Amino acid sequence: MKTKLYLDVDGVMLRRNPQGYQVANHALPFLRFAIDQFEVYWLTARSHQGDTAEVERAFCHALPNPTASKQDWNVLKALVSAIPVARWEQTKADAFGAEEDFYWIDDNPDALSLAWLKRHDFSGRLVEASTDQCPDDLARAQGVLAEHH
């Protein structure tokens, strides 16, 4: 059984820029690594009820990363579509089970989810990564996950 990995979209996989959103640097190698090593779920404000359509739409409307080829872009879109969306209600921590093995990557975790992680002694399961602030943060996050997994 693989460890679960919950991924935020905005600010992590998609980097905000003046033109809107752009696929973050290292997104394709990161997703390939993540899918190979983990049971991956999107955990995003774009969808609370497990619907992948909004996540797919976000990637389709994002600007491709300028370093990616057209083939890379097509592979990325296929990987994005293959990842299910986690359901949650009030806070993103609603998606986690207190008995499950997981990691969570987010650029701006909400206070109630942080409190849940602390209460269950899971604070070390959060990897904060912001491609808005540091364009290469996915490569760093991948390194952190590889080290701990």
Side-chain angles (χ1 to χ4, degrees):
M1 185 103 171
K2 289 184 177 179
T3 300
K4 291 183 178 180
L5 176 63
Y6 296 96
L7 293 175
D8 186 24
V9 175
D10 300 331
V12 177
M13 298 302 299
L14 297 179
R15 184 171 187 257
R16 294 169 183 93
N17 69 33
Q19 291 79 39
Y21 286 94
Q22 179 178 38
V23 175
N25 294 349
H26 314 288
L28 181 56
F30 176 84
L31 279 183
R32 284 181 167 149
F33 161 80
I35 290 169
D36 185 53
Q37 298 294 317
F38 298 91
E39 182 181 339
V40 183
Y41 295 87
W42 297 118
L43 183 57
T44 174
R46 290 183 179 269
S47 177
H48 290 242
Q49 299 306 315
D51 182 13
T52 60
E54 286 302 315
V55 174
E56 291 171 350
R57 186 176 295 115
F59 276 87
C60 285
H61 286 75
L63 299 169
N65 190 291
T67 64
S69 69
K70 183 163 180 59
Q71 180 181 356
D72 288 347
W73 178 240
N74 291 334
V75 170
L76 178 72
K77 288 195 292 187
L79 292 177
V80 166
S81 297
I83 297 171
V85 176
R87 294 174 181 269
W88 58 285
E89 297 295 326
Q90 304 297 319
T91 71
K92 288 185 177 181
D94 294 340
F96 311 141
E99 303 303 318
E100 71 183 13
D101 191 18
F102 71 91
Y103 285 95
W104 173 30
I105 298 182
D106 203 299
D107 65 319
N108 189 22
D110 62 275
L112 290 174
S113 292
L114 290 172
W116 186 93
L117 291 173
K118 186 173 182 177
R119 186 169 56 254
H120 290 88
D121 201 24
F122 286 147
S123 296
R125 296 303 179 127
L126 171 64
V127 178
E128 290 192 58
S130 174
T131 57
D132 290 345
Q133 303 299 316
C134 181
D136 294 319
D137 225 9
L138 278 178
R140 181 194 60 80
Q142 181 175 332
V144 170
L145 290 172
E147 184 179 308
H148 291 287
H149 183 62

